[in-house]
Amino acid sequence: MKVKTISISALFLCMSTTMLLAQNSTDTLKSEKKIEEVKIIGTSKKGGEANIITTQRKSLEVIERVGSVQLEKQGVGDVSVAVTKATGSQKQEGSGQIFIRGLGDRNNSTTINGLQVPSNDPMYKNIDLSIIKTDMIDFIGLEKVYNPRLWGDMSGANVDIVTKIYTGKPYFKVNLGSSVNFNAIRKNNYFLQDGPNFFGSTLLKKPSKNSIISNGYAFKTSWNDQSVNNPINSALSFDFGTNFKIGEQGKLSIFGYAGFDNSYEYFEGITGGAYDGQDNPLRLYNNAEEFKYSTNTTGLINVNYKINSNHNINVSSNYIHTTDQRLGNYSGYNRDYYDNDVNQERYVTQMRRATYRTNDLLVNQLRGEHKLSEPLKISWNLGYNRMDSRRPDRQQNVTVLDKQENYNFFASSNPGANNRYFDRLLENDFVADIHADYKLGEAKITLGYSGRYKDSDFKSTQYNFRILPAQGTYYVNPNNYDSFFNLANYQAGGFFEIVTFRGDIKYDPTMALAPQTFTSEVTNHAGYVNVDYKFNERLTVQAGVRYEKLMQDLAYNTSIQQGESEKDYNKILPAVNIKYSLNDQHNIRLAASKTYTNPLLLEIAPYQYEDVDETMAGNQSNYIADNYNVDLKWEWFPKKNELISVTAFAKMIDNPLAKITINSSANLTSVVNVGDTGRVVGLEAEVRKDIYDSGKTRFYTFLNGTYLNTKMDLDAEKVTRENFGPGESGYTTTFLRNSDKLQGASEFLANVNLGVEQKWGDKNTMDFVLSYSYISDNIYAIGFQSRGNMVDKAFSTFDATMKFKLGNGIGFSLTGRNLFNPTFTRIQDNTETGRELISKQYKRGAGIGASVSYEF
């Protein structure tokens, strides 16, 4: 609820009063009352386009928001896509992770209603934004410029997801939708692994120790793929809002959301390509396919109690359950399985890999605002988050096809080639923030404290199947692995044995079944002070500083190493924001700050995770990188819902972190502090403009573009020096050059949106929006020795959405996704030969969908 002073309304009322007084001067002079101010009390939609622009214009801090109204018009369903509509943002292909101003996951942070939330995947720092539905939010804020209210572990931006607090008339809305991905629907035989069900509610558990010790082979699910009929996406959700008056001034507002949706996808092409410096393949699956099925079940309840105009309390609880299945069949060459036939004239390596991942995230928040007196306001925010992330029953099989003899045999020289893998990450995350705002003349002083405690507990076990018969003495049916891996063959003793990284289950089950583990405790205490001072009507300055005491205790017992690590940092982070208003339509802003970048948990835990494309290992020798940031921005607000802005920015990074390939026979990738310095220099432009607006027809555009120039030092001697010694990782590398572009940074990003809004009759509207996004080349991983960088080539998407909303409460929409269906390509750029060698190449597939809703 917002209170607005409408000057034109006050003028109208005053004029009416004056006319009345002139006609009845004698009778009214005795009872005349002076009207000093007229207030119109009403509601303002936080996610509305005009409100988003107005808030940005008035804010002292540099903010950028994407509102729910804009997202609804574009048919954007999840937050990861929503963030890419903001200037300088890009979504990493194949994931929900976001790059902002060329800086990736470890450089950004994510908050919900201002409080940090944990990642749903140990591979990443930030939660996968694609699992958060836009129907639950008012807007998404991108805070690219630091201020001391934010946690200092950011150099790209903080993404703040603000959930809905309902303030309008009571309503209930039901949404039903369906869509298809043309790649998936055209596949004659669609397969997924055995075990998970349609709703993603099946909980697959690791076999108990007793069952493994007693039976050896105690797995309940099959190795064989399961056929799926009609891979058509579906979605069902409902949301509601209502209000209740409590006493004379109190008001209780409730917003609720619940929904389920699923998605089928299919890819085919090339993957896993890796080559030496002379262009000879080390691994290349040139005939690859992947089936993907994902589900999302979400529930949110948000209760807001406005006690009176001075006191407000809010409580919210959000539960998100997601699952992701990927079944891949990869055929080609892989030297790791003793395949010496590079040209695949006789032998072809065939890999099957089935991965099932489940995530359960619970976000609970309690917050309040209290105006204790005219100059003093207290705000507090408490949160408890719990994350349960699992990869239960990941399966892998590797066989070699002898085309001459027409039979398959296992790659028996490597027990890990055929395996079942189980892991689980449990995190409890306690966060808090309390601050006081005190107005003193033209100054506002903010004094606050932030605290966070997070404990992480990770366990994994991989059961490897050692093949006993000699190659050529048996036959394997790759469509029926259960005929070989079963209880009878295990008990017979001549087919396979089950081992782990710690030993053989038959001979030492206690040791063999001990999981790989790492645990982490992170404690962060921060105090901050901010002073906003208004020098005059045009110039306002905010200056502040934040102190953070960051402690992380890590204990690990993995196949790589066993030990403990303690890291203790003290960070003083100053920031200044200056706003100069040339007039009501033009602002100039200048900001400078210091922040830092902390390595991710899996980037410091010495644990090795193997995927189809790469094998990554953590590095306990990593440490914090410091960032120095400066921004200069010009904003022009021609109309209430229009904006034109240009921003120049620069970042200097001490000891930047980046993904590299380390010197090893296994071609491991890891993250290290690659050099002494790095830099990012960029230019952003944004336009939100009405092209034509007359009567009930509006033709508009919102577009943005970003140019980046990045560079970082590459110092192999520094890597060796800092990773050598007792308790260190011992990693080394050999860089191709002394410097390179920043890993993950695209040189150019652009979003172009064209929309038509048509109104007719009684509250009937139609919106038609075309959306185009472009991402230029960016480095996926830094090259080493004679091998070039892994580079993701330029990629673009084109979407179209048409939505109708009728006055009787019925709405329906038609959407087209990825309509151009471009080819995504990752290459290895070998500089010695000048060739770009394909590492990964596929098309996501175009899709169309329709939905219908009813609100009453």
Side-chain angles (χ1 to χ4, degrees):
M1 180 73 70
K2 289 192 174 182
V3 179
K4 296 186 176 181
T5 302
I6 312 297
S7 58
I8 190 168
S9 300
L11 179 61
F12 175 81
L13 290 173
C14 289
M15 290 175 64
S16 300
T17 303
T18 303
M19 293 175 66
L20 186 62
L21 286 172
Q23 293 174 357
N24 303 280
S25 58
T26 304
D27 296 329
T28 58
L29 281 173
K30 295 178 182 180
S31 59
E32 182 184 41
K33 293 182 179 180
K34 184 179 180 182
I35 300 177
E36 294 181 348
E37 183 180 24
V38 175
K39 293 186 178 181
I40 306 299
I41 299 176
T43 61
S44 174
K45 194 167 185 178
K46 294 180 180 179
E49 295 172 87
N51 189 66
I52 292 290
I53 298 295
T54 300
T55 303
Q56 182 170 332
R57 177 174 61 86
K58 293 182 176 181
S59 172
L60 170 57
E61 298 158 356
V62 180
I63 59 173
E64 189 171 335
R65 290 180 176 178
V66 182
S68 57
V69 173
Q70 174 184 332
L71 298 176
E72 184 179 359
K73 289 180 178 180
Q74 294 176 270
V76 174
D78 67 69
V79 172
S80 68
V81 178
V83 172
T84 63
K85 303 303 178 183
T87 312
S89 303
Q90 68 187 81
K91 181 175 179 285
Q92 186 180 47
E93 171 61 20
S95 78
Q97 303 305 313
I98 301 297
F99 280 73
I100 300 174
R101 289 183 167 180
L103 299 171
D105 176 67
R106 79 175 68 87
N107 301 282
N108 302 313
S109 61
T110 304
T111 55
I112 295 180
N113 300 317
L115 287 182
Q116 287 189 313
V117 290
S119 169
N120 61 312
D121 189 329
M123 295 291 292
Y124 300 106
K125 169 185 173 182
N126 293 283
I127 187 172
D128 182 349
L129 295 177
S130 66
I131 72 176
I132 301 176
K133 297 302 177 184
T134 55
D135 289 336
M136 305 186 307
I137 68 173
D138 266 327
F139 62 86
I140 302 159
L142 259 73
E143 297 166 300
K144 301 177 188 175
V145 174
Y146 178 73
N147 70 77
R149 175 180 52 82
L150 303 172
W151 286 102
D153 186 8
M154 57 163 280
S155 55
N158 178 68
V159 179
D160 188 32
I161 302 160
V162 179
T163 56
K164 283 184 179 179
I165 297 177
Y166 195 70
T167 56
K169 295 180 180 180
Y171 83 100
F172 188 91
K173 183 179 180 181
V174 178
N175 300 271
L176 180 64
S178 182
S179 62
V180 295
N181 177 282
F182 289 128
N183 279 6
I185 202 69
R186 288 172 179 168
K187 183 64 178 174
N188 292 330
N189 298 304
Y190 198 95
F191 294 103
L192 293 171
Q193 76 180 90
D194 180 41
N197 63 4
F198 175 83
F199 291 102
S201 57
T202 304
L203 181 61
L204 302 182
K205 293 184 178 181
K206 182 177 68 173
S208 67
K209 287 186 179 181
N210 290 336
S211 63
I212 290 287
I213 292 172
S214 301
N215 301 318
Y217 191 89
F219 303 98
K220 302 299 183 183
T221 53
S222 169
W223 294 87
N224 294 338
D225 302 334
Q226 307 300 309
S227 178
V228 174
N229 297 321
N230 303 318
I232 299 174
N233 309 332
S234 57
L236 173 64
S237 67
F238 68 85
D239 55 278
F240 68 90
T242 188
N243 299 306
F244 303 94
K245 287 187 177 181
I246 300 179
E248 292 294 326
Q249 302 182 60
K251 190 173 185 180
L252 187 70
S253 302
I254 303 174
F255 172 77
Y257 173 87
F260 169 83
D261 65 73
N262 61 3
S263 174
Y264 293 92
E265 296 179 72
Y266 176 77
F267 312 90
E268 61 180 346
I270 299 171
T271 194
Y275 309 81
D276 63 19
Q278 288 70 48
D279 299 348
N280 300 308
L282 308 174
R283 178 188 62 223
L284 178 62
Y285 297 115
N286 51 13
N287 185 10
E289 67 172 1
E290 286 187 6
F291 303 86
K292 179 183 176 182
Y293 177 67
S294 58
T295 71
N296 185 310
T297 305
T298 298
L300 169 74
I301 188 74
N302 196 332
V303 180
N304 192 76
Y305 178 33
K306 182 179 180 181
I307 302 172
N308 52 46
S309 59
N310 294 322
H311 300 280
N312 193 86
I313 294 177
N314 180 272
V315 59
S316 65
S317 185
N318 186 192
Y319 172 71
I320 304 174
H321 171 74
T322 61
T323 67
D324 184 270
Q325 290 186 65
R326 293 174 186 260
L327 174 62
N329 298 304
Y330 313 98
S331 177
Y333 167 76
N334 192 332
R335 71 166 187 176
D336 292 337
Y337 300 119
Y338 295 87
D339 180 357
N340 296 317
D341 190 355
V342 177
N343 297 322
Q344 304 170 46
E345 294 177 353
R346 177 174 178 178
Y347 297 107
V348 179
T349 298
Q350 296 179 322
M351 175 186 287
R352 170 190 175 269
R353 190 179 178 93
T355 302
Y356 179 48
R357 188 180 74 178
T358 68
N359 300 304
D360 290 277
L361 173 65
L362 182 63
V363 179
N364 297 304
Q365 295 181 344
L366 177 64
R367 55 191 184 274
E369 292 184 352
H370 309 278
K371 295 179 182 177
L372 302 183
S373 62
E374 180 60 30
L376 179 61
K377 178 182 176 182
I378 302 291
S379 301
W380 53 273
N381 203 345
L382 306 174
Y384 167 66
N385 310 306
R386 179 175 173 83
M387 171 57 68
D388 186 348
S389 178
R390 310 183 191 211
R391 284 181 176 86
D393 200 20
R394 187 195 72 194
Q395 303 173 1
Q396 178 175 295
N397 305 101
V398 180
T399 60
V400 177
L401 169 65
D402 185 336
K403 295 192 292 185
Q404 181 175 311
E405 300 294 333
N406 194 28
Y407 78 99
N408 292 72
F409 56 88
F410 284 115
S412 59
S413 55
N414 183 352
N418 297 275
N419 66 72
R420 288 195 178 209
Y421 171 90
F422 299 79
D423 75 16
R424 185 181 188 185
L425 172 67
L426 278 177
E427 289 192 335
N428 293 288
D429 189 16
F430 301 86
V431 287
D433 180 85
I434 181 170
H435 64 268
D437 296 326
Y438 188 83
K439 292 183 179 180
L440 185 63
E442 296 298 325
K444 184 181 79 170
I445 302 170
T446 301
L447 186 65
Y449 163 81
S450 300
R452 188 180 194 187
Y453 171 80
K454 182 172 73 170
D455 64 74
S456 305
D457 186 0
F458 179 82
K459 292 183 174 66
S460 74
T461 301
Q462 179 168 310
Y463 301 95
N464 299 320
F465 295 81
R466 179 186 291 139
I467 309 302
L468 299 179
Q471 291 180 354
T473 63
Y474 61 92
Y475 168 80
V476 175
N477 180 1
N479 295 317
N480 186 12
Y481 288 108
D482 284 329
S483 63
F484 188 90
F485 295 118
N486 54 59
L487 180 60
N489 281 357
Y490 178 78
Q491 292 178 339
F495 292 89
F496 65 92
E497 295 175 339
I498 303 177
V499 300
T500 70
F501 292 116
R502 301 192 185 279
D504 194 314
I505 290 175
K506 281 187 177 179
Y507 303 112
D508 190 357
T510 302
M511 181 63 185
L513 294 175
Q516 297 189 73
T517 65
F518 60 79
T519 59
S520 168
E521 290 188 3
V522 176
T523 305
N524 200 342
H525 297 286
Y528 58 94
V529 60
N530 246 355
V531 178
D532 299 355
Y533 189 80
K534 189 174 183 179
F535 285 90
N536 51 52
E537 291 299 320
R538 296 181 181 275
L539 178 63
T540 308
V541 176
Q542 179 190 84
V545 64
R546 182 183 182 96
Y547 168 76
E548 290 193 14
K549 174 73 171 178
L550 173 63
M551 298 165 285
Q552 181 171 28
D553 296 331
L554 180 68
Y556 44 88
N557 187 342
T558 70
S559 61
I560 298 178
Q561 206 172 98
Q562 179 178 351
E564 296 181 353
S565 172
E566 294 183 3
K567 296 183 183 294
D568 192 342
Y569 301 100
N570 295 277
K571 291 295 179 182
I572 298 175
L573 309 171
V576 61
N577 288 279
I578 302 172
K579 174 186 175 183
Y580 184 78
S581 299
L582 299 174
N583 51 45
D584 289 340
Q585 292 186 328
H586 296 268
N587 292 330
I588 293 179
R589 302 175 183 272
L590 177 65
S593 63
K594 178 184 177 182
T595 59
Y596 65 89
T597 300
N598 195 28
L600 313 186
L601 176 58
L602 211 63
E603 292 176 348
I604 60 173
Y607 175 77
Q608 184 172 311
Y609 185 83
E610 182 180 355
D611 211 335
V612 176
D613 291 18
E614 63 181 333
T615 301
M616 181 177 176
N619 177 12
Q620 66 271 30
S621 302
N622 286 333
Y623 56 92
I624 276 178
D626 289 319
N627 315 299
Y628 301 88
N629 319 287
V630 62
D631 282 68
L632 179 63
K633 185 173 187 177
W634 166 72
E635 298 172 325
W636 177 25
F637 303 90
K639 293 166 59 178
K640 67 176 183 178
N641 58 344
E642 294 184 346
L643 166 66
I644 298 173
S645 68
V646 178
T647 306
F649 62 91
K651 298 176 182 294
M652 293 296 297
I653 306 171
D654 287 344
N655 304 302
L657 293 149
K659 179 186 286 188
I660 65 165
T661 303
I662 62 177
N663 292 329
S664 71
S665 59
N667 295 314
L668 293 175
T669 63
S670 187
V671 171
V672 301
N673 298 91
V674 293
D676 290 331
T677 61
R679 65 160 172 78
V680 179
V681 178
L683 189 67
E684 294 177 341
E686 179 182 11
V687 175
R688 300 190 189 191
K689 181 67 177 170
D690 288 345
I691 300 173
Y692 174 82
D693 189 358
S694 178
K696 296 185 177 182
T697 303
R698 177 179 170 231
F699 183 37
Y700 59 92
T701 183
F702 43 98
L703 53 93
N704 56 63
T706 303
Y707 168 76
L708 293 171
N709 186 290
T710 67
K711 182 181 178 181
M712 63 181 178
D713 296 336
L714 300 176
D715 188 342
E717 292 183 1
K718 172 186 172 75
V719 173
T720 301
R721 183 173 62 252
E722 294 180 347
N723 289 266
F724 180 78
E728 305 294 343
S729 65
Y731 292 162
T732 63
T733 191
T734 307
F735 292 120
L736 286 170
R737 51 181 70 88
N738 295 326
S739 64
D740 212 326
K741 295 179 180 179
L742 215 63
Q743 179 223 327
S746 293
E747 194 170 82
F748 183 69
L749 311 169
N751 291 290
V752 180
N753 302 271
L754 294 174
V756 177
E757 181 184 89
Q758 180 67 53
K759 299 179 181 179
W760 75 96
D762 184 19
K763 299 181 180 179
N764 300 315
T765 61
M766 184 277 293
D767 282 285
F768 178 62
V769 180
L770 300 175
S771 303
Y772 173 80
S773 298
Y774 174 81
I775 301 171
S776 67
D777 295 1
N778 62 87
I779 296 174
Y780 175 76
I782 301 294
F784 83 116
Q785 294 179 351
S786 58
R787 295 169 55 179
N789 294 336
M790 304 295 286
V791 177
D792 287 349
K793 301 297 289 182
F795 190 76
S796 62
T797 58
F798 180 72
D799 301 331
T801 301
M802 178 176 287
K803 299 181 73 73
F804 294 88
K805 189 173 183 180
L806 307 181
N808 59 7
I810 296 176
F812 56 93
S813 67
L814 298 171
T815 59
R817 294 282 180 253
N818 195 38
L819 295 176
F820 290 167
N821 195 21
T823 300
F824 171 79
T825 303
R826 178 176 297 158
I827 57 98
Q828 180 178 312
D829 187 10
N830 275 3
T831 54
E832 289 190 7
T833 63
R835 293 185 61 191
E836 293 185 348
L837 306 168
I838 294 176
S839 172
K840 195 170 190 176
Q841 190 172 71
Y842 63 87
K843 290 187 175 185
R844 282 195 294 152
I848 58 171
S851 67
V852 62
S853 65
Y854 180 61
E855 180 178 331
F856 55 92

